[in-house]
Amino acid sequence: REKVLNVDSDILPTYNALYKTYSRGAGYLDALYMHLNQHFTKRTIKNEWCDHYMHSIEKVKKFEKVQDLAMNIWRDEMIEKVHEPLVSAVLQDITRDRRGVAQY
């Protein structure tokens, strides 16, 4: 977040580069933890099946895949907290594009 907020010029290229790196890393972690993603929720359902069918289904819905969790963290830390400069930069780019000014 600090890297984006400390950029003197247009923040979109910096934001985009950080997002690509973060997203790729989240994908790698998701692949690494795929076993957990697949087996932990199944085991949770199986173990609690007899006790509380509906309760266990609701409980399992709360589990998230690693990549989904990472993207939620990105949203919370990088979209919601950098919202104003990000929206401003996007609107400036839209204005430049409509005027025919060359971009990146």
Side-chain angles (χ1 to χ4, degrees):
R1 175 179 46 208
E2 287 77 22
K3 283 185 179 183
V4 172
L5 293 174
N6 291 332
V7 172
D8 293 332
S9 60
D10 193 5
I11 68 170
L12 291 180
T14 303
Y15 187 88
N16 186 37
L18 290 171
Y19 176 78
K20 284 180 180 180
T21 302
Y22 185 85
S23 168
R24 190 173 329 128
Y28 293 151
L29 287 174
D30 190 59
L32 182 65
Y33 288 104
M34 189 181 311
H35 179 77
L36 278 177
N37 288 338
Q38 293 174 349
H39 299 286
F40 181 74
T41 54
K42 286 180 186 177
R43 189 180 69 208
T44 302
I45 290 174
K46 186 177 179 182
N47 289 344
E48 295 184 9
W49 180 269
C50 297
D51 296 336
H52 308 286
Y53 171 72
M54 292 308 290
H55 177 69
S56 67
I57 296 299
E58 288 301 314
K59 198 172 183 182
V60 170
K61 286 181 184 177
K62 295 178 185 177
F63 294 125
E64 295 183 69
K65 288 176 47 179
V66 171
Q67 188 162 18
D68 294 341
L69 180 60
M71 291 297 107
N72 287 338
I73 292 170
W74 179 270
R75 180 197 61 223
D76 295 345
E77 294 297 320
M78 292 297 293
I79 294 177
E80 291 180 3
K81 293 185 180 177
V82 186
H83 180 262
E84 288 187 28
L86 187 61
V87 169
S88 176
V90 169
L91 291 175
Q92 287 174 359
D93 273 5
I94 291 171
T95 301
R96 281 187 230 141
D97 185 59
R98 287 181 179 172
R99 292 181 180 159
V101 178
Q103 286 297 105
Y104 314 108

